[in-house]
Amino acid sequence: MSQQQARSEHPCPQFMRKDWVNLNGEWEFEFDDEQAGDAAHWHSGSRPFSRRIQVPFAFQSKLSGIADSDFHDVVWYRRTFSTPESFKGKRVILHFGAVDYDSCVWVNGMLVASHEGGHTPFHADITDALREGSNTLVVKAVDYSRDVTLPRGKQYWLADSASIFYTRTTGIWQTVWMEAVSPVYLEKVKFTPDIDRKEIEIRSFVKGCSAGKDVRLKVEISFNGAPLTEDVFRIKGGHEARRIRLNDFNDHGLGGWWTPEKPNLYDVTFTLLEDGQSCDEVSSYFGMRKISIEDGKFCLNNRPYFLKLVLDQGYFPEGNLTPPSDEAIKRDVELTKEMGFNGARKHQKLEDPRYLYWCDRLGLLVWGEAANAYEYSEEYVRRFTKEWQESVERDYNHPCIAVWVPLNESWGVPNVQIDKLQQQHALTMYHLTKSLDPTRPVVSNDGWEMLKTDLYNIHDYEWRREVLEDRYSTAEKAVGAMPANRRLSVGGYAYDGEPIIVTEFGGIAYKKSEWEGWGYSGADNDEDYAERLRAVIQPLLKSGVVQGYCYTQLTDVEQEINGLLTYDRKPKIALDLIKAINEGQ
């Protein structure tokens, strides 16, 4: 199987081994509203559960086979599995893409993992819990549906979806899978491209290294199927870093750089050698690109780049937060590009890694945004800080990720304008993110009430062309406006020449006007809709001050009907017309 064929199936296309098994599909399932499962030892796996669920769809979704949107904050899963013959003699790693919110995992009654956080992955070495033949896997998930200090994104804490909040997600909602590794194996890698030096830095982390063993890592890099270079180096202490020069730049000029217009990717094969013998092999890829701010300009690969983003909340009619298929993920990326956008702001959701893979491959910039809480508390700070660090760690290697957005519209820090604790938290999230990733811009609080920030991002749902033209005619007018009746800077900070980007605007409803009460406008027909799009997009394109925008939004979501596409991804007007408007026509 080619790398491309393998990536069409693998849940983690940027870090693939050959020996893996998908555990999605039908599982046994039980609600535990009385919280009786622990005392009754459901974790032992001896008790069958009465329901059936299709993993990885949450029970609230139609595709789960249950479609119950009521509050059930404690749920249990059970299934049996066998390991394939190829796993014999190896360590077996069990992976969960995401389980909302707290989870515990047992294999044959043995606790193998526990994890807190509804959007980030976790894994466990289950080798010592396995038996010959059939094994029983049990998962308990605990949600806190009414807790407004929980990092939840758009999941509503009341019974029914309303306004800008949607159906909740509880339990498993991303792929469950397992893979086989040798006792000594490559745990992870971190890619940091340096286009100025034409080098890729590779930090490698190896598990199972022991004194007296000669462990080396062979790195083979190719481009468009042609071998470029290879390197072999010794791993000491389980961690090593190397910078590798990519000489193909001398032949291709800019041809090897990654952009939305030319999403060039380099393939990598890692072979781990123990005493000269191959013990692990991983396929990966990276992109050579640079995000920077130069003289107040947002730059991609050292050149000013105008951002045309769309707000994408990643909800699906029958799967909620879980896409129905990989083709549906790919199609969302294709539709975004077909409408003339070069990026997406994934709003209040850590998206499935396969979405980022398609953005890497097809060429779409992504702003990585946290799923925020709604209120502030010390427990919120602990939970959120942990989950955000895991989010940055998970997505660091993707060339499509261009900007980090830990906080949005003061969610989780509603009194940040005057509360010193909340101001320090927002500043902490900015500096923490910079300490984890100095290569990408970070926004302290997207939309308004910003403190230290790399981009000056404004949310403005004004729909009158003449008002937008005047407001964004100068930087002074732009940063002095209060479009949501909120100060744009707080805590003693002020605009300091950062790139100005309008990161929420538009929100035009179609053939329905109830959303106008939220500051959105409504259109009556195709011609009116197109003209209203022009009226909000063209002033930003022609501003000279604004360096990008993010239109709200890609699709309708449940009761919110202000998407460019319907909830089932049907265009409201022709895609090429939207593209022409994005191009200033």
Side-chain angles (χ1 to χ4, degrees):
M1 180 185 294
S2 68
Q3 284 194 16
Q4 189 53 49
Q5 288 174 316
R7 287 190 182 127
S8 69
E9 304 172 2
H10 201 281
C12 188
Q14 209 176 20
F15 200 81
M16 302 188 306
R17 292 184 175 89
K18 293 178 180 179
D19 279 343
W20 70 280
V21 175
N22 193 321
L23 295 178
N24 290 345
E26 185 176 273
W27 292 46
E28 296 177 16
F29 182 78
E30 203 79 271
F31 293 130
D32 189 10
D33 297 341
E34 303 301 321
Q35 300 187 32
D38 287 331
H41 303 290
W42 290 5
H43 65 271
S44 69
S46 59
R47 178 190 185 275
F49 296 153
S50 64
R51 295 174 179 264
R52 299 294 182 269
I53 189 170
Q54 290 294 323
V55 169
F57 300 100
F59 71 78
Q60 293 94 338
S61 71
K62 183 177 180 180
L63 287 173
S64 73
I66 297 177
D68 184 342
S69 61
D70 205 351
F71 291 101
H72 301 287
D73 279 2
V74 182
V75 297
W76 292 76
Y77 300 78
R78 177 182 182 270
R79 68 157 291 163
T80 59
F81 69 93
S82 299
T83 56
E85 190 69 23
S86 60
F87 279 30
K88 283 195 173 181
K90 295 185 177 182
R91 309 299 296 181
V92 179
I93 311 297
L94 177 65
H95 294 266
F96 291 83
V99 182
D100 198 348
Y101 177 76
D102 283 337
S103 52
C104 292
V105 182
W106 294 266
V107 174
N108 298 323
M110 179 184 294
L111 181 67
V112 295
S114 59
H115 182 259
E116 178 187 41
H119 300 82
T120 49
F122 64 97
H123 64 271
D125 185 333
I126 63 172
T127 312
D128 296 336
L130 293 174
R131 302 169 179 162
E132 288 289 331
S134 180
N135 295 272
T136 302
L137 170 60
V138 174
V139 178
K140 176 189 176 184
V142 181
D143 207 357
Y144 308 95
S145 299
R146 298 173 177 86
D147 185 349
V148 294
T149 69
L150 192 76
R152 63 173 56 251
K154 288 297 194 80
Q155 301 178 52
Y156 205 16
W157 52 89
L158 299 182
D160 299 316
S161 299
S163 68
I164 59 171
F165 296 99
Y166 318 126
T167 302
R168 292 171 297 282
T169 291
T170 297
I172 299 170
W173 66 277
Q174 288 186 19
T175 292
V176 185
W177 56 289
M178 60 182 178
E179 64 179 342
V181 300
S182 298
V184 180
Y185 67 96
L186 185 63
E187 182 183 27
K188 64 180 180 179
V189 296
K190 294 190 76 171
F191 295 114
T192 304
D194 186 339
I195 68 168
D196 299 327
R197 295 188 176 188
K198 305 175 184 178
E199 293 176 343
I200 181 71
E201 182 190 68
I202 301 175
R203 295 176 61 197
S204 51
F205 300 81
V206 175
K207 277 275 193 180
C209 281
S210 58
K213 292 287 187 179
D214 181 8
V215 178
R216 299 173 187 264
L217 185 64
K218 181 180 181 181
V219 182
E220 299 170 275
I221 300 175
S222 61
F223 183 72
N224 285 341
L228 286 182
T229 187
E230 67 177 62
D231 192 11
V232 180
F233 48 89
R234 188 167 185 176
I235 304 291
K236 294 183 178 180
H239 172 222
E240 192 57 76
R242 282 290 188 277
R243 299 180 70 95
I244 299 176
R245 184 173 177 83
L246 301 172
N247 290 316
D248 69 309
F249 278 171
N250 296 331
D251 300 324
H252 301 295
L254 302 181
W257 290 4
W258 187 97
T259 68
E261 296 74 27
K262 291 186 177 180
N264 295 303
L265 296 175
Y266 290 80
D267 290 312
V268 189
T269 299
F270 295 102
T271 305
L272 198 64
L273 305 168
E274 184 179 13
D275 294 333
Q277 300 298 312
S278 174
C279 62
D280 192 20
E281 186 173 305
V282 173
S283 297
S284 186
Y285 68 84
F286 62 86
M288 291 296 291
R289 66 101 189 88
K290 175 183 178 182
I291 306 292
S292 62
I293 297 170
E294 308 292 342
D295 299 323
K297 298 289 186 182
F298 181 93
C299 294
L300 174 62
N301 298 336
N302 295 320
R303 290 164 174 77
Y305 193 84
F306 193 92
L307 293 162
K308 299 178 182 181
L309 312 179
V310 68
L311 192 80
D312 181 354
Q313 308 208 55
Y315 272 78
F316 296 84
E318 296 186 339
N320 300 349
L321 282 177
T322 307
S325 65
D326 189 60
E327 183 56 38
I329 299 174
K330 180 183 179 185
R331 187 59 184 146
D332 273 6
V333 178
E334 291 173 336
L335 286 166
T336 300
K337 289 179 68 72
E338 287 172 21
M339 288 187 286
F341 295 101
N342 54 31
R345 179 177 161 218
K346 293 303 295 193
H347 189 44
Q348 292 299 301
K349 180 187 181 186
L350 184 67
E351 193 51 273
D352 190 292
R354 291 207 60 86
Y355 175 85
L356 299 180
Y357 162 70
W358 284 116
C359 291
D360 290 340
R361 180 170 170 75
L362 299 178
L364 193 72
L365 291 170
V366 178
W367 286 27
E369 180 178 325
N372 290 148
Y374 207 63
E375 296 290 345
Y376 182 86
S377 71
E378 292 181 3
E379 179 68 357
Y380 147 76
V381 171
R382 185 193 65 78
R383 287 168 164 170
F384 182 67
T385 304
K386 171 183 178 293
E387 190 164 21
W388 181 242
Q389 290 180 83
E390 292 176 354
S391 301
V392 175
E393 169 78 13
R394 194 199 78 169
D395 293 344
Y396 178 91
N397 286 340
H398 287 281
C400 68
I401 295 286
V403 175
W404 295 117
V405 184
L407 295 173
N408 168 72
E409 288 188 348
S410 304
W411 288 22
V413 286
N415 295 319
V416 70
Q417 179 175 322
I418 59 173
D419 189 321
K420 297 295 184 183
L421 285 177
Q422 295 184 24
Q423 290 174 5
Q424 290 300 320
H425 173 63
L427 285 169
T428 296
M429 296 312 299
Y430 170 85
H431 289 293
L432 174 64
T433 309
K434 298 293 282 189
S435 75
L436 297 171
D437 182 3
T439 72
R440 293 176 173 98
V442 178
V443 181
S444 65
N445 186 18
D446 202 277
W448 53 63
E449 295 176 339
M450 289 170 279
L451 293 102
K452 175 66 176 174
T453 188
D454 294 332
L455 304 174
Y456 208 77
N457 292 355
I458 303 171
H459 294 181
D460 188 350
Y461 285 101
E462 174 59 53
W463 55 273
R464 293 167 293 179
R465 178 193 292 262
E466 64 275 12
V467 175
L468 291 170
E469 287 176 341
D470 179 66
R471 183 174 291 166
Y472 296 102
S473 60
T474 68
E476 290 74 19
K477 287 185 177 181
V479 303
M482 296 176 63
N485 201 30
R486 301 282 193 113
R487 296 179 182 176
L488 295 180
S489 295
V490 298
Y493 288 83
Y495 175 68
D496 192 28
E498 300 91 351
I500 295 173
I501 304 174
V502 180
T503 47
E504 285 190 31
F505 77 110
I508 302 168
Y510 189 39
K511 297 181 181 177
K512 199 170 183 180
S513 60
E514 64 196 45
W515 280 94
E516 293 182 56
W518 281 82
Y520 307 142
S521 68
D524 297 321
N525 54 56
D526 289 6
E527 293 74 19
D528 185 27
Y529 189 73
E531 188 51 44
R532 287 176 181 270
L533 278 177
R534 288 192 186 92
V536 295
I537 288 177
Q538 287 186 352
L540 304 184
L541 283 172
K542 298 176 179 179
S543 161
V545 170
V546 174
Q547 296 188 38
Y549 55 72
C550 179
Y551 182 85
T552 304
Q553 61 182 329
L554 180 65
T555 74
D556 294 345
V557 182
E558 297 188 359
Q559 71 281 344
E560 189 174 0
I561 48 83
N562 55 358
L564 294 165
L565 312 172
T566 63
Y567 201 12
D568 58 355
R569 276 51 179 178
K570 299 293 191 300
K572 294 184 177 178
I573 59 174
L575 298 177
D576 57 358
L577 177 55
I578 299 173
K579 182 178 181 179
I581 294 172
N582 264 321
E583 292 173 348
Q585 300 177 31

